[in-house]
Amino acid sequence: MVRVKIPATSANVGPGFDCLGVALNLYNTFIIEEINTGLQIEGCDEKYRNENNLVYISIKKCFEKVGYNPKGIKIKMQCDIPESRGLGSSAACILGGVVGANEIAGGKLEKKEILDIATEIEGHPDNLAPALYGGMTVSIRDKKNTYVEKITLDKNIKFCALIPDFKLSTEKSRSVLPKDISYNDGVFNVGRTALLISALSSGNLDLIKIGCEDRFHQQYRGKLIGDYYNITEKCIELGSKGVFLSGAGPTIMNILHKDDNEFIKNITKYLQYLEKKWNAKQLNIDNVGVVIEN
Ligand code: HSE
């Protein structure tokens, strides 16, 4: 039996579409066990208790890769990461499955190989890499490999997630993106991505706001999220150092100075008057990533 704990992640981070992500201290835990026969799944909705369960799909994929034939599998899920909110719940399920299966099969795979298998399933590494390694990562892939570098973050940074009570699937959120981008928009994003990484490392928090600007996805996806523009404007007014759409949304993420205890109180007051229900949750960086607990 293996117990795998995976952090939530916020991908994209401003202009870093499909490449920047950060691990946060909210977790899913998966207990995976080889049993004598069949498939048993506990701790999730009835609709996920079958062979289409993402943790199970990922377990099977990993077993295929390492050539292991289990008799049967039991999965127990303890999920605190809200689903389809842009906080990496799918990436957590995929990694939980791949890491758990690798352990059951003898633990032969290196972290990098685990990331390659998981990225084949997810399609992009920006949630997977920080969930696996912890902290903030920049990750890219070519046809064969995924390349990851961990970014050293200034110690004065914390996050505040504004999580709505409605879901937005990555599929729907990707469907509104344009097929091509202009040269100008490319230049806009590449400069801001470099600036943001540098400012997050040096602690020059005054540059975070402009560093979070983006022309690749937020303007298209924002329209799917009621009050997105009002909320992001209010966040800056209330002292957020930078605000961006977390992953494919709908969660809106704020970067705050660690000593700012007013923002969460004030934004909570503001959010209560909106039509939809939003919950403000302060989160810290998880620097550890996946943990296998015995
Ligand atoms: N980079 C991905 C996207 C993250 O924005 O679609 C969500 O899976």
Side-chain angles (χ1 to χ4, degrees):
M1 186 188 84
V2 55
R3 192 184 165 97
V4 191
K5 185 177 160 203
I6 325 262
T9 43
S10 182
N12 294 336
V13 194
F17 184 71
D18 272 0
C19 65
L20 275 186
V22 62
L24 300 165
N25 65 337
L26 180 68
Y27 301 91
N28 280 4
T29 301
F30 305 101
I31 299 155
I32 302 170
E33 190 180 346
E34 182 168 3
I35 54 175
N36 282 335
T37 180
L39 172 64
Q40 289 176 28
I41 304 178
E42 290 175 10
C44 59
D45 269 14
E46 184 67 41
K47 64 178 176 194
Y48 299 127
R49 288 188 213 157
N50 54 53
E51 297 209 336
N52 296 322
N53 180 293
L54 191 52
V55 182
Y56 182 62
I57 289 174
S58 309
I59 289 173
K60 270 203 327 195
K61 177 99 179 169
C62 181
F63 281 152
E64 268 165 40
K65 292 271 182 192
V66 298
Y68 186 83
N69 258 325
K71 290 176 265 171
I73 286 292
K74 180 171 175 184
I75 306 167
K76 215 168 164 183
M77 304 177 51
Q78 294 166 353
C79 299
D80 289 333
I81 307 172
E83 198 191 316
S84 296
R85 299 301 204 295
L87 288 168
S89 66
S90 305
C93 288
I94 293 169
L95 270 184
V98 176
V99 170
N102 179 47
E103 282 303 301
I104 289 173
K108 292 186 202 93
L109 298 175
E110 305 276 334
K111 270 196 173 174
K112 202 202 150 305
E113 295 170 297
I114 288 173
L115 183 61
D116 282 332
I117 297 173
T119 306
E120 266 182 50
I121 304 169
E122 172 103 315
H124 41 84
D126 50 339
N127 288 102
L128 296 164
L132 185 61
Y133 293 98
M136 184 177 275
T137 55
V138 55
S139 53
I140 58 162
R141 72 192 283 244
D142 61 16
K143 286 198 179 102
K144 278 195 189 150
N145 286 301
T146 309
Y147 303 87
V148 183
E149 179 74 357
K150 210 163 160 171
I151 299 161
T152 309
L153 291 179
D154 181 72
K155 293 205 166 39
N156 288 318
I157 291 168
K158 68 180 177 187
F159 291 79
C160 181
L162 311 182
I163 310 169
D165 66 352
F166 57 89
K167 297 180 182 181
L168 176 58
S169 73
T170 298
E171 198 185 351
K172 178 161 185 210
S173 195
R174 281 187 98 90
S175 75
V176 299
L177 301 180
K179 295 223 162 20
D180 299 298
I181 51 144
S182 72
Y183 194 81
N184 275 345
D185 288 354
V187 171
F188 185 98
N189 267 52
V190 78
R192 279 159 179 78
T193 307
L195 183 78
L196 180 63
I197 292 173
S198 179
L200 287 170
S201 300
S202 69
N204 191 351
L205 301 192
D206 291 341
L207 290 177
I208 306 276
K209 178 172 167 272
I210 191 163
C212 279
E213 288 178 351
D214 156 75
R215 285 195 187 159
F216 284 179
H217 76 118
Q218 300 190 139
Q219 62 193 305
Y220 308 104
R221 291 170 160 175
K223 292 178 193 142
L224 301 174
I225 302 161
D227 282 313
Y228 174 77
Y229 294 98
N230 298 333
I231 295 172
T232 50
E233 224 171 84
K234 194 70 185 178
C235 288
I236 295 295
E237 196 186 308
L238 293 176
S240 172
K241 295 294 176 192
V243 57
F244 61 92
L245 188 63
S246 183
T251 290
I252 296 171
M253 191 62 75
N254 287 277
I255 301 174
L256 302 179
H257 190 284
K258 76 165 183 2
D259 296 336
D260 183 348
N261 296 318
E262 293 305 304
F263 178 85
I264 188 154
K265 287 188 218 155
N266 293 330
I267 199 72
T268 301
K269 270 188 219 152
Y270 169 79
L271 294 172
Q272 71 189 350
Y273 295 110
L274 299 180
E275 194 194 328
K276 304 276 183 197
K277 206 164 165 258
W278 291 77
N279 177 33
K281 192 171 181 60
Q282 197 164 287
L283 294 167
N284 289 315
I285 298 157
D286 171 296
N287 270 310
V288 178
V290 168
V291 173
I292 299 164
E293 297 174 330
N294 293 311

